[in-house]
Amino acid sequence: MGQLRRGWKCKRWAAVFMIAALCAAPAAAEPQTASAQRIDIRSDRLQVDNVNRVADFTGNVVARQADTTIEADRIRVHYKEGGGESVEAIEKIVAAGNVRIRFENGLAETPEAVYNVSSRVFVLTGAGSRVSSGSSYIEGEKITLRRDEGRVTVERGQRRQVEAVFYPEGSEEKPEKNSDPPGEDARQ
């Protein structure tokens, strides 16, 4: 029994590191100049405001850079003054509405995401923000993915704690989104 328990504990921690690797793996695979790689954005509509240095993409928006794809209802691109039309001119990308971010080995879902292009840091905010790899996932109201550092910080919301669910490697179980805080069932 002790060996079985130790084996499960190792697999559980392996799952924790697998979720953290979700952010680190792309950083290792991409050159350090990832912020200089081409960004391709497609949408139904584009409106540019040069005075405020923003470009608003709306309707079925898909943005790609290297192995990362962001899908959203709206994406606002903030660019530096005098930066021209190059990738280096982009400071940050703000995605809102049904945001899905696909990485090499995972998926992030959130109501809003802010991506700092130079630091390669994603900040996911809103109820039900989730990062998953296979059936395992982490969920919280604010998730910060520091891709180059391989670090993830998950913060609770006012109504729900951070939730982390890890399945054994190769498990065919599909995660269910839990709408009740842990322990709610026991109180009824």
Side-chain angles (χ1 to χ4, degrees), residues 130 132-137 163 165-168 170-178:
R130 171 188 282 224
S132 59
S133 181
S135 295
S136 299
Y137 66 89
E163 182 176 4
V165 176
F166 304 106
Y167 291 96
S171 173
E172 295 299 317
E173 290 187 61
K174 297 293 178 204
E176 293 179 19
K177 241 186 160 165
N178 184 4

Side-chain angles (χ1 to χ4, degrees), residues 22-33:
L22 170 67
C23 300
E30 294 176 15
Q32 289 292 24
T33 58

